[in-house]
mmCIF file of all heavy atoms in Angstrom:
data_model
loop_
_atom_site.group_PDB
_atom_site.id
_atom_site.type_symbol
_atom_site.label_atom_id
_atom_site.label_comp_id
_atom_site.label_asym_id
_atom_site.label_seq_id
_atom_site.Cartn_x
_atom_site.Cartn_y
_atom_site.Cartn_z
ATOM 1 N N CYS A 53 -1.358 -30.098 53.122
ATOM 2 C CA CYS A 53 -1.070 -30.540 54.482
ATOM 3 C C CYS A 53 -1.622 -29.509 55.468
ATOM 4 O O CYS A 53 -1.554 -28.298 55.226
ATOM 5 C CB CYS A 53 0.430 -30.712 54.678
ATOM 6 S SG CYS A 53 0.890 -31.274 56.341
ATOM 7 N N TYR A 74 7.263 -32.675 53.676
ATOM 8 C CA TYR A 74 7.829 -31.439 54.220
ATOM 9 C C TYR A 74 8.328 -31.689 55.640
ATOM 10 O O TYR A 74 9.512 -31.487 55.939
ATOM 11 C CB TYR A 74 6.776 -30.334 54.185
ATOM 12 C CG TYR A 74 7.315 -28.933 54.423
ATOM 13 C CD1 TYR A 74 8.682 -28.669 54.482
ATOM 14 C CD2 TYR A 74 6.448 -27.872 54.580
ATOM 15 C CE1 TYR A 74 9.161 -27.386 54.688
ATOM 16 C CE2 TYR A 74 6.906 -26.578 54.789
ATOM 17 C CZ TYR A 74 8.265 -26.338 54.851
ATOM 18 O OH TYR A 74 8.732 -25.060 55.057
ATOM 19 N N GLU A 118 -21.405 -32.166 50.027
ATOM 20 C CA GLU A 118 -21.643 -32.810 51.313
ATOM 21 C C GLU A 118 -21.558 -34.327 51.151
ATOM 22 O O GLU A 118 -22.309 -34.909 50.355
ATOM 23 C CB GLU A 118 -23.019 -32.422 51.844
ATOM 24 C CG GLU A 118 -23.223 -30.929 52.045
ATOM 25 C CD GLU A 118 -24.654 -30.592 52.400
ATOM 26 O OE1 GLU A 118 -25.195 -31.247 53.306
ATOM 27 O OE2 GLU A 118 -25.230 -29.690 51.752
ATOM 28 N N PRO A 124 -24.359 -42.297 44.136
ATOM 29 C CA PRO A 124 -23.793 -42.794 42.870
ATOM 30 C C PRO A 124 -24.803 -42.827 41.727
ATOM 31 O O PRO A 124 -24.406 -42.842 40.565
ATOM 32 C CB PRO A 124 -23.314 -44.203 43.237
ATOM 33 C CG PRO A 124 -23.080 -44.156 44.717
ATOM 34 C CD PRO A 124 -24.143 -43.241 45.246
ATOM 35 N N TRP A 138 -17.782 -52.459 22.523
ATOM 36 C CA TRP A 138 -17.351 -51.241 21.838
ATOM 37 C C TRP A 138 -15.834 -51.199 21.712
ATOM 38 O O TRP A 138 -15.114 -51.700 22.573
ATOM 39 C CB TRP A 138 -17.843 -50.007 22.596
ATOM 40 C CG TRP A 138 -19.333 -49.896 22.602
ATOM 41 C CD1 TRP A 138 -20.197 -50.496 23.481
ATOM 42 C CD2 TRP A 138 -20.133 -49.195 21.659
ATOM 43 N NE1 TRP A 138 -21.481 -50.198 23.153
ATOM 44 C CE2 TRP A 138 -21.484 -49.396 22.040
ATOM 45 C CE3 TRP A 138 -19.852 -48.405 20.545
ATOM 46 C CZ2 TRP A 138 -22.546 -48.834 21.327
ATOM 47 C CZ3 TRP A 138 -20.910 -47.847 19.840
ATOM 48 C CH2 TRP A 138 -22.240 -48.066 20.232
ATOM 49 N N ASN A 139 -15.370 -50.578 20.645
ATOM 50 C CA ASN A 139 -13.945 -50.338 20.428
ATOM 51 C C ASN A 139 -13.728 -48.830 20.535
ATOM 52 O O ASN A 139 -14.044 -48.084 19.602
ATOM 53 C CB ASN A 139 -13.519 -50.849 19.053
ATOM 54 C CG ASN A 139 -12.027 -50.676 18.806
ATOM 55 O OD1 ASN A 139 -11.246 -50.493 19.748
ATOM 56 N ND2 ASN A 139 -11.619 -50.737 17.552
ATOM 57 N N SER A 162 -24.743 -27.184 16.153
ATOM 58 C CA SER A 162 -24.754 -26.508 14.855
ATOM 59 C C SER A 162 -23.362 -25.997 14.491
ATOM 60 O O SER A 162 -23.045 -25.820 13.308
ATOM 61 C CB SER A 162 -25.749 -25.343 14.859
ATOM 62 O OG SER A 162 -25.280 -24.267 15.659
ATOM 63 N N GLY A 241 -32.858 -42.708 4.373
ATOM 64 C CA GLY A 241 -34.165 -43.345 4.510
ATOM 65 C C GLY A 241 -35.268 -42.532 3.856
ATOM 66 O O GLY A 241 -35.029 -41.464 3.274
ATOM 67 N N LEU A 290 -9.156 -43.975 12.790
ATOM 68 C CA LEU A 290 -9.425 -42.804 11.961
ATOM 69 C C LEU A 290 -10.312 -41.811 12.708
ATOM 70 O O LEU A 290 -10.053 -40.597 12.705
ATOM 71 C CB LEU A 290 -10.106 -43.237 10.663
ATOM 72 C CG LEU A 290 -10.643 -42.117 9.763
ATOM 73 C CD1 LEU A 290 -9.511 -41.234 9.260
ATOM 74 C CD2 LEU A 290 -11.436 -42.705 8.596
ATOM 75 N N ASP A 338 -27.943 -23.123 36.647
ATOM 76 C CA ASP A 338 -28.192 -21.978 37.527
ATOM 77 C C ASP A 338 -29.249 -22.304 38.578
ATOM 78 O O ASP A 338 -29.173 -21.812 39.713
ATOM 79 C CB ASP A 338 -28.613 -20.762 36.695
ATOM 80 C CG ASP A 338 -27.458 -20.182 35.897
ATOM 81 O OD1 ASP A 338 -26.302 -20.383 36.308
ATOM 82 O OD2 ASP A 338 -27.707 -19.542 34.857
ATOM 83 N N VAL A 351 -28.876 -22.599 56.815
ATOM 84 C CA VAL A 351 -28.159 -23.383 57.822
ATOM 85 C C VAL A 351 -27.857 -22.478 59.014
ATOM 86 O O VAL A 351 -27.268 -21.396 58.851
ATOM 87 C CB VAL A 351 -26.836 -23.957 57.256
ATOM 88 C CG1 VAL A 351 -26.031 -24.601 58.376
ATOM 89 C CG2 VAL A 351 -27.149 -24.959 56.164
#
Side-chain angles (χ1 to χ4, degrees):
C53 180
Y74 193 8
E118 301 173 49
W138 295 85
N139 183 18
S162 71
L290 171 63
D338 288 335
V351 172

